[in-house]
Amino acid sequence: MENRTPSVNEDGVEALLFRKTTGCFATGVAIVTTKVQGRLEGMTVNSLASVSLRPTLILVCLAQGARTTQAVERRGCFIVNILCEEQAWLSNRFSRPAEDHYAGVDFVLNEYGLPVLRGCIAHLVCRVENILAAGDHLIVVAKVCHAEFTGAAPLIFFRGAYARAEMNVKQEPPVADWYW
Ligand SMILES: Cc1cc2nc3c(=O)[nH]c(=O)nc-3n(C[C@H](O)[C@H](O)[C@H](O)COP(=O)(O)O)c2cc1C
């Protein structure tokens, strides 16, 4: 019995069940931004994960065919802007494909001409290292070339809705001593 692997349909579990269940894993919210051929692109993501310390690598999973995915593939570098708790409106803005995402949005172009959104809790400057196709998404592994953070509180995404972190992130000690 213990050597058996789970048997699945070709598509795994039913899609809604999959969404609802993986949505129990609370995450932060970030916006991947880039600029290619003079055009600013950006999309909301919560599939961000830290991968490696030496070298410093992260991953994001980007939908195949999304405008920002194509722009990231073409440009080969991007910013991960990690949202603070007041920025749910930005998350909504950058998750709707038809809108002019950047209208009224405060941002600066950094030394590489990449858009850094103002007011975020943190941002990472990333260079694409590896792209792996996985189902309907691409797993983009990128080297972090520059990182900055502030003490602001994060925006949380849980069960398809935004939430705030209950702990006071400015006062609570980190869970693990090694973290800092
Ligand atoms: C909270 C949240 C998290 C999301 N996370 C992801 C993600 O990790 N990867 C992804 O491909 N799309 C994600 N999306 C959906 C994209 O933001 C959305 O499809 C976007 O419009 C695609 O960008 P485009 O305008 O460049 O096509 C997320 C949306 C929300 C609201």
Side-chain angles (χ1 to χ4, degrees):
M1 279 295 261
E2 65 197 24
N3 292 328
R4 288 178 60 206
T5 52
S7 64
V8 290
N9 299 327
E10 198 182 320
D11 283 338
V13 295
E14 190 266 323
L16 186 60
L17 171 65
F18 176 81
R19 277 183 97 130
K20 286 187 170 176
T21 310
T22 56
C24 293
F25 187 60
T27 66
V29 183
I31 298 178
V32 166
T33 55
T34 193
K35 188 176 180 196
V36 68
Q37 291 171 337
R39 217 186 126 76
L40 294 165
E41 299 290 359
M43 74 190 279
T44 303
V45 299
N46 71 339
S47 57
L48 173 67
S50 170
V51 173
S52 159
L53 202 54
R54 293 189 187 81
T56 49
L57 298 174
I58 55 107
L59 71 78
V60 281
C61 301
L62 304 181
Q64 297 212 33
R67 276 186 322 198
T68 305
T69 310
Q70 293 169 358
V72 164
E73 284 182 284
R74 240 182 267 156
R75 176 70 197 262
C77 52
F78 59 91
I79 307 288
V80 173
N81 303 268
I82 300 175
L83 301 188
C84 74
E85 63 182 10
E86 282 90 27
Q87 291 177 316
W89 69 275
L90 266 182
S91 170
N92 290 333
R93 171 75 73 85
F94 281 85
S95 60
R96 290 178 192 142
E99 289 188 41
D100 177 7
H101 292 137
Y102 286 84
V105 172
D106 198 6
F107 69 94
V108 285
L109 293 177
N110 73 358
E111 61 190 300
Y112 310 105
L114 296 169
V116 178
L117 306 184
R118 285 200 204 267
C120 290
I121 173 170
H123 79 266
L124 306 166
V125 180
C126 303
R127 197 184 69 206
V128 175
E129 287 279 304
N130 231 313
I131 297 185
L132 178 71
D136 51 15
H137 279 57
L138 298 180
I139 301 172
V140 178
V141 177
K143 186 170 278 179
V144 175
C145 310
H146 177 82
E148 272 183 53
F149 69 94
T150 71
L155 180 64
I156 306 294
F157 194 66
F158 175 62
R159 290 193 164 152
Y162 299 114
R164 287 171 183 242
E166 215 171 84
M167 67 188 276
N168 184 336
V169 290
K170 285 173 196 150
Q171 284 172 16
E172 290 284 332
V175 173
D177 291 343
W178 49 262
Y179 197 80
W180 296 107

